[in-house]
Amino acid sequence: MSTLTMLALAGILPDFKLQSDDGDSATRIAITAALGAGAFGLLSALVWPLLVRALLLVPALVLGLLNFFLNGSLLLLALRLIPDGRGDANAETAVVVAAVMSAVASATGGALAVRDDDAYRRRLYRLADRRRRRAAGAQSPSTPGILFLQLDGVGHDVLRDAVRKGLMPTVARWLGEAAEGEGKETPPAPPTHRLVPWRTDWSSQTGASQLAILHGSNFDVPAFRWYEKDSGEVMVSNRPASAGELQRRAVARTGHPGLLADDGASRGNLFSGGADQLALVLSMAARRGKENRSRAGYFAYFSDPANAVRTALSFIAEVGREIGESTRARLCRRRPRVSRGGLYPFIRAFATVVERDVVVAAVIGDMLAGRAAVYADLVAYDEVAHHSGPTGSDAEKVLRRLDRSLALVAQVADHAPRPYRIVLLSDHGQSPGETFRARYGLTLADLVRAGCGLPVPRRARRTHSGAEARSAVRAALRRPVEEGAGEHHPRRVAEPIVLASGNLGLVSFPDVPHRMTREEIDRRHPALLPTLANHPGIGFVLVRSEEHGPLVLGARGAEVRLDELEDPEDPESLGPLADFGPGAADAVRRTDSFPHTADIMVNSWYDPQDGEVLAFEEQIGSHGGLGGAQSRPFLLAPLALSPAVEDGGELVGAEAVGAVLRRWRDEERGRSPLVGPATDPAASVDDRRPDTGSSTAFSVADHAVQDKTH
């Protein structure tokens, strides 16, 4: 195929030749093409990994662009090796020829293809056989491994609707429901998985949920971003330094390294989970030196030039798709709508193409290596839903592509050296609705300043998405992930700091070293709390009273004393919390107990009929607070595992989900519950040490061969 491709390109491109100046016979030209294609393939196999290794200090996304030029250089070298000077091309043509040949090789080889055809199945068998031959004499693990795949931001109801619409046939088969295209006369196969919803904490976002799932505790994580008075720092969940500190605190609190300790792998996550095998893990991105393998997956993936070409073409197509969709939304005057210009098309393409391909490739390598546990986060849906809405056509297309990735992983699992239980879950959902600023013409920071009697800027301050994809892009480019968006920094120390996390707002007064009470706030700014509580875009406000403890304030003087509630589920006694569903009072009370809870916690208005909230950030699909689908993610697990909850029970809080996943790991290993090096749960564990063990990310071109570039 490579020879035919080279012959075709020689006939099309005027600056690319495969014959001498005097002309050659067709047979001679074919032999020249075969020599050139063979030399190019040999150089790609032998020289390319060395070039990638030499470029480990280059930012990962820059490496992806360099692939084209390096590939062209290898082709020029291959042409120079053809006898009698019959092969020739200028530099620009060489880049084009090399890219096309790599793309054709990728398409015919089926790497990361997701169609269930005979050619793809034969490739999987070859990969499995190759690995078995390399591991001849080694005994495969007898116990099943567990693969945890997180669909970031996909709520329980969104998943159910996607299955019903035929967007996710793989999930439909797991649930024993008819997949798209299957006739009604053909009954579906029996289910292999069970689906249960779970309820998030008040902070319904990846930082809080994933920290609890992977490390067992999200104590003192009140939001996506918050101000800590003792250090004077703003903590941001997707900031590498903050993620590393949160992971260290969780390990110290629980006394064990995490869900993925003991032959685990963490791929594309905010936190490591105690895994030895790491790729694209944000909490590791702040580290410097060889021990930082947070970006190792990029190099393992791009070490195959075919991957670089395929992903680059898909990336360009996705950028064009986003520009077209956003233009159509503007022309049709869709509402609600947020700006989708600037760098956003590239950030979306990174999340939906680059990160997806790299993470899926790493997961495939982990399965063929027989890892005991793998946790991977696919952020594509969350990023698109923030800007296009959680139920729009853009988001549905992403769900369809994610299902194809699930089908690929399931197919590869059939050829792994050990059986795998595939667990699908989400960390939160998303709630629709226009932004607070779009509806009222001012931001939460403007409203707080007005309540404090401070000047309000004429132009409202814009906040940006805190989605994981944005920070992952910056980490891949080796730029500091010091996100300033979403933070209102005061001009003077006595002014409040206002932070936004979806439809959850936090107000802190930095000049007061302790958490201010309601009485102190009223003495300093008597109009502030009434201004917030009575605003139609605010659902409720949490403050702490010197006399009554945690108080929830609502419109028209409504007040709920959380410590004095007789029945937390009685709507009559919940006041402004009644619309936010069961468990709202417990979730708010738990957050009130955190040492770094803000002086004032603000949750936006929520419409229980339409499920809409008002985001304090520029998002029409948001999460981070209470209200609607954002608080109702899902857990989809094989029937072979014990039920997550007993019949009639409810799974409440991310820590409870983490406990279920650890229980499943223990059941599969058939030994006592996971314990760490510290016997005292309060003992401090040094999580800042370099992780040991060799990383085992795999090139998709040869999943069975361990990558040696990191």
Side-chain angles (χ1 to χ4, degrees):
M1 183 60 71
S2 297
T3 301
L4 294 176
T5 303
M6 185 170 282
L7 285 171
L9 292 173
I12 296 172
L13 300 174
D15 295 324
F16 180 42
K17 70 172 188 174
L18 294 173
Q19 58 184 328
S20 64
D21 295 335
D22 298 331
D24 289 314
S25 65
T27 301
R28 185 66 180 179
I29 294 174
I31 293 174
T32 302
L35 290 173
F40 178 62
L42 186 63
L43 289 172
S44 295
L46 299 179
V47 179
W48 189 262
L50 299 177
L51 290 174
V52 173
R53 186 178 185 87
L55 290 170
L56 284 179
L57 296 179
V58 177
L61 296 186
V62 177
L63 174 63
L65 298 176
L66 285 177
N67 279 336
F68 290 98
F69 302 101
L70 295 176
N71 227 7
S73 300
L74 290 180
L75 179 64
L76 286 175
L77 179 58
L79 294 176
R80 296 293 186 270
L81 296 177
I82 298 176
D84 302 326
R86 285 184 168 82
D88 189 26
N90 59 34
E92 295 83 357
T93 303
V95 170
V96 174
V97 173
V100 173
M101 291 183 65
S102 296
V104 171
S106 171
T108 57
L112 269 190
V114 294
R115 292 177 176 83
D116 186 13
D117 55 21
D118 292 338
Y120 178 66
R121 287 187 180 275
R122 286 195 298 269
R123 175 176 174 79
L124 290 182
Y125 280 117
R126 288 197 302 271
L127 292 172
D129 291 341
R130 189 183 307 164
R131 188 191 184 281
R132 280 192 288 269
R133 288 195 301 269
R134 291 178 181 273
Q139 186 175 3
S140 299
S142 58
T143 58
I146 302 185
L147 175 60
F148 304 104
L149 291 177
Q150 177 179 302
L151 300 186
D152 205 299
V154 179
H156 174 270
D157 295 342
V158 166
L159 185 78
R160 291 295 317 175
D161 288 344
V163 169
R164 178 179 54 82
K165 294 178 181 179
L167 300 174
M168 305 188 78
T170 303
V171 177
R173 284 191 292 271
W174 289 347
L175 291 173
E177 301 182 12
E180 183 181 18
E182 295 182 357
K184 293 183 179 180
E185 68 280 359
T186 304
T192 60
H193 288 62
R194 63 169 64 90
L195 175 67
V196 296
W198 63 277
R199 191 196 308 162
T200 67
D201 306 286
W202 187 2
S203 181
S204 54
Q205 46 88 19
T206 304
S209 294
Q210 199 178 87
L211 184 65
I213 291 171
L214 290 179
H215 289 283
S217 173
N218 61 5
F219 180 79
D220 204 19
V221 181
F224 181 81
R225 51 175 72 84
W226 67 95
Y227 177 72
E228 297 195 343
K229 293 187 175 185
D230 48 1
S231 64
E233 297 291 332
V234 173
M235 298 288 287
V236 184
S237 297
N238 69 351
R239 184 179 290 170
S242 298
E245 173 61 17
L246 293 178
Q247 180 174 309
R248 187 196 65 78
R249 293 178 185 178
V251 170
R253 183 174 180 84
T254 61
H256 63 73
L259 173 69
L260 304 176
D262 189 11
D263 194 27
S266 180
R267 310 300 189 189
N269 300 310
L270 292 182
F271 310 103
S272 73
D276 288 331
Q277 310 301 325
L278 305 170
L280 285 65
V281 176
L282 201 67
S283 63
M284 305 295 293
R287 305 184 183 186
R288 296 292 180 261
K290 294 182 179 179
E291 68 274 12
N292 178 7
R293 298 194 303 275
S294 66
R295 299 177 303 117
Y298 293 113
F299 299 108
Y301 182 76
F302 288 125
S303 63
D304 179 0
N307 292 341
V309 174
R310 181 185 55 256
T311 298
L313 295 177
S314 299
F315 183 93
I316 295 170
E318 186 70 12
V319 170
R321 184 179 296 113
E322 163 56 26
I323 293 174
E325 290 172 348
S326 62
T327 301
R328 190 178 304 111
R330 288 197 306 271
L331 293 177
C332 296
R333 300 181 181 275
R334 293 177 188 166
R335 292 289 186 272
R337 189 178 74 245
V338 294
S339 173
R340 292 160 60 174
L343 293 177
Y344 172 69
F346 300 95
I347 294 173
R348 166 176 166 166
F350 177 86
T352 58
V353 175
V354 179
E355 189 161 15
R356 178 203 63 197
D357 287 355
V358 172
V359 169
V360 170
V363 169
I364 288 173
D366 291 326
M367 287 191 297
L368 292 175
R371 301 273 171 239
V374 184
Y375 195 105
D377 187 9
L378 298 171
V379 303
Y381 172 86
D382 190 62
E383 178 62 35
V384 172
H386 276 311
H387 297 80
S388 303
T391 58
S393 60
D394 293 5
E396 289 184 346
K397 294 174 184 176
V398 174
L399 290 173
R400 190 185 296 275
R401 292 196 292 269
L402 285 174
D403 187 82
R404 291 201 292 264
S405 295
L406 298 178
L408 168 63
V409 169
Q411 290 167 344
V412 173
D414 292 337
H415 305 276
R418 71 190 304 169
Y420 275 93
R421 316 288 194 198
I422 300 179
V423 176
L424 196 66
L425 74 158
S426 58
D427 49 347
H428 55 78
Q430 284 206 20
S431 296
E434 63 182 326
T435 69
F436 187 86
R437 179 192 178 202
R439 178 168 294 189
Y440 300 109
L442 79 168
T443 65
L444 177 62
D446 298 330
L447 184 63
V448 170
R449 291 182 64 84
C452 293
L454 299 170
V456 177
R458 292 184 178 180
R459 297 185 64 182
R461 178 185 179 89
R462 293 187 62 181
T463 58
H464 297 276
S465 166
E468 292 73 24
R470 186 178 301 273
S471 59
V473 171
R474 297 179 66 88
L477 289 170
R478 282 195 168 180
R479 296 187 62 186
V481 189
E482 298 302 321
E483 183 182 287
E487 305 172 13
H488 175 74
H489 295 283
R491 299 184 181 90
R492 295 183 296 272
V493 70
E495 295 183 10
I497 292 176
V498 182
L499 305 176
S501 296
N503 74 318
L504 177 64
L506 297 88
V507 183
S508 300
F509 293 90
D511 61 320
V512 179
H514 59 270
R515 181 180 174 187
M516 293 185 71
T517 64
R518 175 189 184 176
E519 292 78 7
E520 289 176 311
I521 296 171
D522 284 342
R523 285 194 293 269
R524 177 185 279 199
H525 300 295
L528 177 57
L529 292 178
T531 297
L532 293 174
N534 288 293
H535 192 279
I538 303 298
F540 66 88
V541 174
L542 170 69
V543 291
R544 175 164 280 275
S545 168
E546 295 174 359
E547 181 180 358
H548 302 293
L551 292 178
V552 170
L553 308 179
R556 296 179 295 278
E559 180 178 306
V560 176
R561 302 174 183 178
L562 293 179
D563 285 347
E564 301 175 16
L565 280 176
E566 294 184 1
D567 184 0
E569 303 302 324
D570 179 16
E572 295 295 329
S573 63
L574 288 177
L577 290 177
D579 288 340
F580 290 87
D586 291 336
V588 172
R589 185 188 294 108
R590 179 175 184 262
T591 300
D592 176 79
S593 69
F594 294 165
H596 290 112
T597 296
D599 296 330
I600 306 173
M601 302 285 289
V602 184
N603 203 98
S604 86
W605 163 88
Y606 164 60
D607 184 352
Q609 298 298 321
D610 297 329
E612 294 186 352
V613 299
L614 298 176
F616 298 126
E617 301 181 86
E618 291 301 297
Q619 303 168 349
I620 60 173
S622 67
H623 58 88
L626 287 175
Q630 63 181 319
S631 302
R632 188 178 166 87
F634 72 88
L635 179 60
L636 179 69
L639 297 175
L641 298 173
S642 61
V645 291
E646 299 297 332
D647 291 341
E650 187 177 15
L651 200 56
V652 179
E655 291 184 357
V657 176
V660 170
L661 302 194
R662 288 192 297 277
R663 186 225 302 166
W664 287 342
R665 279 216 67 189
D666 295 335
E667 289 174 354
E668 295 306 303
R669 288 180 299 193
R671 62 180 178 83
S672 58
L674 185 68
V675 294
T679 56
D680 180 3
S684 176
V685 177
D686 185 8
D687 190 54
R688 293 169 293 182
R689 61 173 175 79
D691 290 70
T692 57
S694 60
S695 180
T696 318
F698 284 74
S699 168
V700 181
D702 186 357
H703 305 314
V705 181
Q706 183 173 352
D707 181 72
K708 301 295 185 181
T709 61
H710 51 82

